[in-house]
Amino acid sequence: MDINDVYNLLKKVFEDGIGELKTGIPVEDCIYVEAGKIEAVCFFLRDEERLQFDALMCLSGVDKDKTTLTTVYHLYSYALKHRLTIKVDVPKDNPVVQSVYQVWSTAEWHERESYDLLGIKYEGNPDLRRILLPEDWEGHPLLKDYKVQEFYNGMKVPY
Amino acid sequence: MPEVRTEEMLINMGPQHPSTHGVLRLFLTLEGEIVKDVRPYIGYLHRCFEKHTEAMTYPQVIPYTDRMDYLNSMSNEWSYVLGLEKLMGIEVPERVEYIRVVMAELQRIASHLVALGTYGNDAGAFTPFLYSFIDREKVLELFEITCGARLLYNYFWVGGLSHDIPANFQSKVKAFIKEFEPNIKMYNDLLSYNKIFIERTANTGILPLDVAINAGATGPILRASGLKYDLRKDEPYSIYHKFDFEIPVAEQEVGTVGDSWNRYMVRIKEMVQSLRIIEQAIDNIPEGDVSSAVPKRVKPPVGEIYSRTETPKGELGYYIISDGSLNPYRVKARSPSFVNLSILPKISKGHMMADLVMILGSLDIVLGCIDR
Amino acid sequence: MGILNRLDSRIEQFETGNLMITSVDKLLNYARLSSMWQMFFGLACCAIEMMATSASHYDLDRFGIIPRPSPRHCDIILISGTVTLKMASRIKRLYDQMPEPKYVLSMGSCSNCGGPYWEHGYHVLKGIDRIIPVDVYVPGCPPRPEALLEGLLKVQEKIRTQSIAKQIKKA
Amino acid sequence: MDNFITSLLGENILTFVLVTVPVIAFVAVFALYAVLGERKISAWMQNRVGPNRVGKGGVLQTIIDGLKLIQKEFVSPIRADKYIFNLAPIIVFTAAFMGFAVIPFSSIFIGADLNLGLFYFFAITSLGVIGLMIAGWSSNNKYSLYGAVRSVSQIVSYEIPTALAAIPVVMLAGSLSMQTIIHEQAGGILNWYIFGGPGAISKLILFPFMLTSAVILFISTLAETNRTPFDIVEADSEIVAGVHIEYSGMKFAMFFFAEYAQMFAVAAIVSTLFLGGWQSPFGDLIPFLNNPWIQFGWAISKGLLLVFVQIWLRWTLPRLRVDQLMTVCWKFLIPITLIDLFIIGLYAVL
């Protein structure tokens, strides 16, 4: 199945939940999905006979622009050997996305990392804490406007 | 009879502990020797790789990829460079491809040797560690005569390599293969088929295939669970399609498919296959220039790519977003160890503390790769 | 410092190079420098080179340096790799757990000064000397095993110049 | 004439001192050089050089290690139970050393030739476990507590096969006295109990059973001294350093010392029971080699040979898990020794 077929299939099932299909830019095509629908869409992608995306390769958070954060899902199917990219845009002032932990358990740590570094909140993640940085760290470093704190626990942070 | 009062023991394992392979901290809930719960805490080596990429130009990122998984720097570089080449549409000369294959496979051997040695160390056998480091030194010497560095190479550049191989490289590699091949049998005699070692590792930490796929396990761990899947064969990049090699998977030899012993054994078998690839490649390196395709300014078009390769630890992916400038907009590294470690709590409950060490060792994690 | 604390103030009067004290000094220094037990502790890339140094090819055991897993048995700690802010307090604690006399060798650029992470590494401690005192710095990213050996020999040189009397005075 | 010093001076305080001092000196020198030997042998097995800077070829390395350990600060953790914490290494060391009282070094030299010698040895060496236990407990460290619990369960379990494997010899010799047992094995290598002891018929019948007993005794003494593959008490990859995790300086050295002293003690017991102790392997063929002064050499070299095997095993094998350790003891060693004991007992009665 090529990406257009997947898109049409998803559009037929989820209607408004699916945003636009982006093709043409190098190298990867992607499908935009609503933040509140992502879990259902992923369950469908995993369980549908013709798609069978049984593995989540990667989940990345991206600081897209001044107002939006994006979560990118790279899916892969070991059964059918094809891949798919899905994106979810959320506004910066209320970055909440449904967790896909129930679909692929890989997502748990990836979502925690994305929360840690970008502050995207994943609703339904069983253990949404900071993972790389200490619990008492201030701010989310991968945001483009991140300012490093001067001191951490009495240790000077900048050089 | 009065009821016996039992208490759970909470133990912190790490960040300094001989068998956590770095600065991992495991928070254990124990009942006697039995592990009730494991909670890995990571981030003690978080070196801000992703923030650095945003401030560096594309070629400047390559040394930082080296330092992620410092046991297989060559493979790390390759995955990143491969993504950029695809994004920019660069054709890499044939000679470069051959050298890259040889280097990556040598690196796989070096990395698996460390895995083998430290695993023996976890089991309490110290000698295999020293033997494997003797062999590893020989691989490092090959890298050293090529690019001058022992551990972190900065060797693969976008479109080419930093240095050509020296004149005596091929003969040295052949000499290494000749020396190393019989040693694999020695490792098998010394450790792999040692009765105590088998008792310790077989049937512990069994990871069923469906859980493995769902939890995102890749590389030797996935193959030890019984799926014959290797990016070099199933999604061939570079020139791997030209070589004849097998993908080792767990067989019903000792223990159960998916246990620690099989995860260990898949690595040993992979070393044999790597030697086969090197043997085929080393004589066929074509003449040519290794830097003819290196662009003066690396400036990919607006776009994004998720490139992945098969490193010794598993699937290493880079998700690179380019906004058309000299610096990457975002580089996310999907590190194999990060995902593989997240499986640990699933497979170690109910085992003994000594088994937990063996299960952790069989996952072959590198903290630099996990924390980035 | 074990025996030295007990000798205490009686030593101070010998401060100026008494013949007997210098000979004892020499022997004790020689003992300390010939048997530096190293902490079995690695941080990052440099730890691999540290392991390579203690493996057969370079063999730290020649100098009487053996790794011990518990900080209580150790004389020297090799800070081998990048120290992050999350790890820094743990390293401080490990250092505090080591019994006197103890020595610190900072291995590699990262623990010397932050190394390649000095500018954008928001979570990297820029130099281990910000939390614990360092005796010898070994530059390199990572230092070759020969460089590490050289650094350890420098620590030995430093120990050779120490004296009981002076140390008491400092304390 | 069990002891030439006693026969010379009679029984007085000077005799006791004169008997004790050489043994202490021997144990001290042995322990120092066993550590060095271990490091050198492991280096040799691993294509390394090993310590070679102090003295010629590193011969003074462990002495200098000791000198360094004297200088180290002695840390006692604030939460530790101080008196017991300080007492533990002394108990461990004393227990290990007291076993030497009944080890015969020659037909004319033994600390005390008790008629309950063997019994005394097993009783006194198992005192060491109390030291390990309180060391682990009083350190107030969870890892050392694990080490203590493991050491108790391990050593107490392995006492049983150790004793059971030694009893066949006692039955054949008809005595618990070490010197008597050795005297019984006179007459060359074939009369040693590992080959079934003196007597042509007994050799034919008993050889396999005595050999099994000897091997089992060796294995279980390995476990009692916490050597690999049974070193779960101080398994560094699991519980860091086990019971002595919190000990620094000389207190730690005492544990080390005790461990190596005990290595030789158990090796000497195995050699006394099964390898003829101080008996020359050539028996009366070359009477000169059975000279009381040469006998020292035989006793010590047999012990050292077994110590070498212990070291060799340590650098070859991985370690067992706790439950496997118990399985080996209760499911294999004890039943086999019981069968052995039954058959040899039957033979002895008939």
Side-chain angles (χ1 to χ4, degrees):
Chain A
M1 273 180 113
D2 81 340
I3 183 112
N4 286 309
D5 299 336
V6 177
Y7 181 70
N8 292 334
L9 185 64
L10 286 177
K11 197 79 189 165
K12 212 160 79 193
V13 179
F14 291 98
E15 295 167 352
D16 285 350
I18 307 298
E20 55 174 333
L21 166 70
K22 217 169 181 184
T23 53
I25 50 162
V27 165
E28 265 160 42
D29 306 325
C30 63
I31 298 173
Y32 280 89
V33 177
E34 287 291 312
K37 281 275 166 46
I38 182 70
E39 191 176 11
V41 170
C42 285
F43 266 121
F44 177 75
L45 286 170
R46 188 187 74 178
D47 297 334
E48 165 67 36
E49 194 101 333
R50 284 164 290 174
L51 301 170
Q52 290 188 41
F53 286 103
D54 45 17
L56 173 70
M57 289 192 289
C58 184
L59 186 155
S60 346
V62 179
D63 182 3
K64 191 181 179 191
D65 51 40
K66 287 211 164 60
T67 52
T68 341
L69 294 171
T70 310
T71 308
V72 187
Y73 302 80
H74 291 93
L75 313 181
Y76 186 72
S77 162
Y78 282 105
L80 303 174
K81 304 224 156 77
H82 58 165
R83 56 203 268 184
L84 177 69
T85 310
I86 293 179
K87 287 187 179 179
V88 175
D89 277 352
V90 279
K92 256 185 187 170
D93 45 13
N94 182 26
V96 181
V97 186
Q98 271 186 349
S99 166
V100 294
Y101 165 73
Q102 296 292 340
V103 191
W104 301 287
S105 54
T106 332
E108 186 189 349
W109 279 26
H110 275 118
E111 283 172 357
R112 279 178 67 187
E113 186 197 320
S114 179
Y115 164 74
D116 188 358
L117 299 179
L118 284 141
I120 304 174
K121 293 186 185 70
Y122 292 88
E123 228 172 25
N125 189 307
D127 193 20
L128 198 64
R129 291 174 292 123
R130 282 189 184 272
I131 186 166
L132 296 175
L133 295 166
E135 283 289 304
D136 50 356
W137 192 264
E138 293 160 24
H140 300 284
L142 276 189
L143 296 174
K144 291 283 176 189
D145 54 358
Y146 172 69
K147 281 271 179 299
V148 183
Q149 62 195 65
E150 192 66 24
F151 281 95
Y152 171 72
N153 268 354
M155 289 174 282
K156 196 171 166 228
V157 179
Y159 185 74
Chain B
M1 200 177 133
E3 210 172 294
V4 179
R5 199 171 66 98
T6 55
E7 223 173 274
E8 280 176 342
M9 184 82 117
L10 305 175
I11 275 199
N12 246 324
M13 200 163 150
Q16 184 261 340
H17 188 282
S19 61
T20 50
H21 297 233
V23 283
L24 171 67
R25 175 177 158 219
L26 295 175
F27 187 73
L28 310 180
T29 311
L30 298 171
E31 200 181 274
E33 292 265 350
I34 308 282
V35 175
K36 283 268 158 194
D37 192 21
V38 186
R39 283 174 89 179
Y41 285 77
I42 60 174
Y44 292 94
L45 197 56
H46 178 51
R47 300 193 278 194
C48 332
F49 169 76
E50 284 160 23
K51 193 75 183 173
H52 278 90
T53 57
E54 290 171 18
M56 302 285 159
T57 63
Y58 284 95
Q60 277 175 341
V61 173
I62 296 174
Y64 288 92
T65 64
D66 275 347
R67 281 153 184 80
M68 270 180 37
D69 182 350
Y70 35 80
L71 285 175
N72 40 323
S73 306
M74 292 280 186
S75 319
N76 293 350
E77 291 166 9
W78 202 1
S79 187
Y80 174 75
V81 165
L82 205 69
L84 282 180
E85 280 159 3
K86 226 189 230 169
L87 200 57
M88 296 170 74
I90 297 174
E91 273 291 319
V92 181
E94 185 98 323
R95 181 178 174 82
V96 173
E97 295 280 27
Y98 269 94
I99 296 173
R100 282 182 180 180
V101 167
V102 172
M103 289 299 178
E105 295 307 316
L106 282 173
Q107 184 76 83
R108 192 180 307 275
I109 290 173
S111 167
H112 284 345
L113 279 173
V114 175
L116 181 160
T118 48
Y119 199 42
N121 209 352
D122 288 344
F126 200 63
T127 306
F129 169 80
L130 288 145
Y131 284 175
S132 68
F133 264 68
I134 295 173
D135 281 329
R136 185 170 174 272
E137 281 302 320
K138 293 175 193 156
V139 182
L140 295 191
E141 197 202 326
L142 294 172
F143 292 145
E144 202 181 333
I145 57 170
T146 311
C147 61
R150 280 167 53 88
L151 198 63
L152 310 169
Y153 314 102
N154 189 14
Y155 184 59
F156 292 15
W157 285 2
V158 182
L161 302 167
S162 73
H163 300 71
D164 204 344
I165 49 173
N168 59 352
F169 184 76
Q170 273 134 312
S171 61
K172 283 211 163 193
V173 170
K174 276 184 220 160
F176 165 73
I177 294 174
K178 220 172 186 176
E179 276 175 48
F180 180 61
E181 218 154 23
N183 285 0
I184 294 178
K185 193 184 166 299
M186 181 193 74
Y187 293 126
N188 282 339
D189 290 344
L190 183 63
L191 193 63
S192 320
Y193 292 100
N194 182 311
K195 179 79 177 128
I196 298 176
F197 182 73
I198 290 175
E199 284 293 318
R200 285 293 306 277
T201 52
N203 297 324
T204 61
I206 297 165
L207 178 65
L209 185 59
D210 52 329
V211 179
I213 290 177
N214 192 266
T218 47
I221 294 162
L222 183 63
R223 292 193 279 278
S225 290
L227 184 67
K228 200 171 190 140
Y229 185 85
D230 189 316
L231 289 174
R232 291 176 294 171
K233 266 266 199 280
D234 290 78
E235 204 175 89
Y237 51 94
S238 184
I239 49 162
Y240 273 113
H241 55 89
K242 288 188 181 172
F243 301 113
D244 173 35
F245 63 99
E246 305 265 307
I247 303 166
V249 285
E251 291 149 25
Q252 201 73 44
E253 191 180 356
V254 172
T256 326
V257 168
D259 63 5
S260 304
W261 190 84
N262 276 306
R263 283 194 282 274
Y264 161 86
M265 204 56 202
V266 162
R267 294 197 183 96
I268 303 277
K269 289 179 185 158
E270 267 182 29
M271 291 203 281
V272 181
Q273 299 305 323
S274 291
L275 283 181
R276 267 178 77 187
I277 298 174
I278 299 168
E279 260 172 352
Q280 292 168 46
I282 195 71
D283 280 326
N284 299 325
I285 299 178
E287 289 301 312
D289 189 5
V290 294
S291 51
S292 59
V294 176
K296 286 235 162 49
R297 256 154 52 110
V298 181
K299 199 174 172 187
V302 178
E304 56 185 66
I305 185 165
Y306 178 76
S307 91
R308 53 181 192 157
T309 58
E310 185 76 29
T311 70
K313 308 276 190 297
E315 171 194 322
L316 173 66
Y318 285 101
Y319 174 48
I320 305 169
I321 303 178
S322 156
D323 60 350
S325 69
L326 285 171
N327 302 348
Y329 185 77
R330 170 94 166 90
V331 177
K332 150 93 186 184
R334 181 260 190 228
S335 60
S337 299
F338 181 78
V339 180
N340 292 346
L341 179 65
S342 69
I343 299 169
L344 180 70
K346 294 190 180 71
I347 56 176
S348 53
K349 273 174 205 163
H351 285 295
M352 305 194 92
M353 194 166 144
D355 285 332
L356 173 76
V357 169
M358 297 311 282
I359 295 168
L360 179 65
S362 75
L363 293 176
D364 187 22
I365 50 162
V366 162
L367 266 296
C369 194
I370 291 171
D371 297 340
R372 278 155 288 151
Chain C
M1 246 185 53
I3 197 172
L4 301 186
N5 281 348
R6 279 176 217 164
L7 292 176
D8 214 0
S9 59
R10 259 169 286 166
I11 298 277
E12 257 177 303
Q13 51 192 314
F14 295 125
E15 210 176 310
T16 47
N18 178 296
L19 185 66
M20 197 194 84
I21 288 288
T22 32
S23 305
V24 171
D25 257 357
K26 261 189 195 156
L27 181 67
L28 294 183
N29 287 345
Y30 187 62
R32 284 212 302 284
L33 70 87
S34 308
S35 115
M36 290 191 288
W37 290 358
Q38 159 217 346
M39 187 126 98
F40 197 27
F41 166 65
L43 279 169
C45 330
C46 292
I48 305 297
E49 285 298 73
M50 187 182 80
M51 277 152 67
T53 318
S54 42
S56 304
H57 203 87
Y58 296 95
D59 192 14
L60 277 182
D61 200 12
R62 283 182 298 155
F63 303 93
I65 300 169
I66 48 172
R68 294 293 318 172
S70 162
R72 301 274 191 227
H73 310 163
C74 300
D75 307 294
I76 183 165
I77 179 170
L78 304 177
I79 311 291
S80 53
T82 317
V83 184
T84 59
L85 293 172
K86 200 171 174 179
M87 191 64 200
S89 53
R90 274 79 174 178
I91 289 180
K92 176 96 172 69
R93 171 177 287 190
L94 282 175
Y95 175 77
D96 290 340
Q97 280 174 342
M98 285 164 63
E100 291 277 353
K102 53 193 171 189
Y103 303 94
V104 180
L105 185 142
S106 159
M107 179 185 181
S109 303
C110 291
S111 70
N112 290 351
C113 62
Y117 305 98
W118 72 277
E119 195 181 0
H120 305 286
Y122 51 83
H123 188 234
V124 175
L125 184 74
K126 278 64 171 196
I128 186 69
D129 45 9
R130 293 186 181 190
I131 51 168
I132 57 176
V134 178
D135 289 291
V136 169
Y137 299 87
V138 179
C141 190
R144 294 181 53 89
E146 290 91 338
L148 177 61
L149 284 178
E150 170 79 16
L152 287 164
L153 294 182
K154 288 277 176 217
V155 177
Q156 293 193 341
E157 242 170 63
K158 183 171 179 179
I159 298 173
R160 205 167 263 138
T161 60
Q162 286 182 333
S163 151
I164 312 176
K166 274 182 207 155
Q167 274 179 4
I168 298 278
K169 209 180 168 200
K170 198 175 71 188
Chain D
M1 198 192 72
D2 288 325
N3 207 324
F4 69 96
I5 300 175
T6 323
S7 58
L8 232 74
L9 300 171
E11 292 219 357
N12 57 41
I13 189 83
L14 184 67
T15 320
F16 296 139
V17 172
L18 280 181
V19 171
T20 323
V21 166
V23 179
I24 291 195
F26 171 76
V27 174
V29 172
F30 167 79
L32 283 175
Y33 278 87
V35 178
L36 182 69
E38 173 129 43
R39 281 166 80 173
K40 276 291 192 187
I41 290 168
S42 69
W44 167 56
M45 285 175 180
Q46 295 158 350
N47 294 349
R48 294 188 289 126
V49 184
N52 73 344
R53 283 298 190 273
V54 188
K56 193 162 171 55
V59 288
L60 301 177
Q61 180 65 47
T62 36
I63 296 172
I64 223 84
D65 279 344
L67 199 54
K68 177 211 73 181
L69 283 169
I70 291 175
Q71 295 176 63
K72 293 295 277 186
E73 176 187 5
F74 178 57
V75 182
S76 30
I78 202 155
R79 303 273 302 276
D81 201 333
K82 247 191 184 145
Y83 297 104
I84 301 181
F85 182 74
N86 291 338
L87 185 66
I90 299 170
I91 293 182
V92 173
F93 181 75
T94 317
F97 181 68
M98 277 165 80
F100 278 84
V102 291
I103 287 172
F105 283 92
S106 156
S107 58
I108 53 162
F109 187 84
I110 183 168
D113 187 19
L114 304 177
N115 53 6
L116 278 175
L118 194 61
F119 184 73
Y120 166 85
F121 181 82
F122 289 137
I124 213 77
T125 45
S126 50
L127 271 182
V129 73
I130 297 173
L132 290 177
M133 175 74 203
I134 63 177
W137 187 269
S138 63
S139 299
N140 213 343
N141 180 314
K142 286 175 184 173
Y143 284 112
S144 68
L145 182 61
Y146 267 95
V149 171
R150 283 176 173 199
S151 79
V152 171
S153 57
Q154 172 181 342
I155 294 175
V156 169
S157 308
Y158 273 87
E159 287 282 308
I160 300 166
T162 316
L164 286 180
I167 290 179
V169 173
V170 177
M171 289 196 302
L172 290 180
S175 169
L176 278 164
S177 150
M178 304 293 245
Q179 292 287 40
T180 317
I181 290 171
I182 295 178
H183 279 299
E184 286 289 313
Q185 304 179 58
I189 187 164
L190 288 175
N191 283 354
W192 293 355
Y193 277 126
I194 193 168
F195 298 113
I201 310 165
S202 76
K203 271 196 197 63
L204 281 175
I205 302 171
L206 290 182
F207 170 59
F209 303 107
M210 293 307 274
L211 186 67
T212 333
S213 285
V215 171
I216 287 176
L217 182 65
F218 183 72
I219 292 174
S220 36
T221 51
L222 269 186
E224 285 210 42
T225 43
N226 305 330
R227 301 286 300 177
T228 313
F230 306 106
D231 65 339
I232 58 159
V233 171
E234 45 186 299
D236 7 317
S237 60
E238 294 147 33
I239 50 171
V240 191
V243 288
H244 36 67
I245 189 168
E246 292 286 359
Y247 285 89
S248 60
M250 273 324 266
K251 305 269 155 139
F252 168 62
M254 284 176 91
F255 278 108
F256 228 71
F257 231 61
E259 188 190 322
Y260 281 86
Q262 216 176 0
M263 266 167 75
F264 185 83
V266 296
I269 288 299
V270 175
S271 97
T272 304
L273 294 183
F274 287 100
L275 301 177
W278 40 255
Q279 295 278 9
S280 148
F282 307 106
D284 303 324
L285 287 177
I286 314 169
F288 166 71
L289 288 179
N290 239 345
N291 175 308
W293 297 98
I294 304 283
Q295 283 168 355
F296 282 101
W298 289 121
I300 290 170
S301 54
K302 279 174 193 169
L304 292 183
L305 182 75
L306 289 171
V307 169
F308 171 73
V309 178
Q310 291 173 348
I311 293 175
W312 180 16
L313 284 177
R314 164 149 185 203
W315 296 102
T316 312
L317 293 177
R319 77 170 70 83
L320 287 167
R321 206 169 56 203
V322 188
D323 59 326
Q324 291 166 348
L325 188 93
M326 293 299 156
T327 313
V328 169
C329 178
W330 294 100
K331 288 197 182 154
F332 295 97
L333 299 185
I334 292 180
I336 292 172
T337 44
L338 282 174
I339 293 167
D340 253 25
L341 191 63
F342 178 70
I343 291 168
I344 296 165
L346 215 59
Y347 174 85
V349 170
L350 295 175

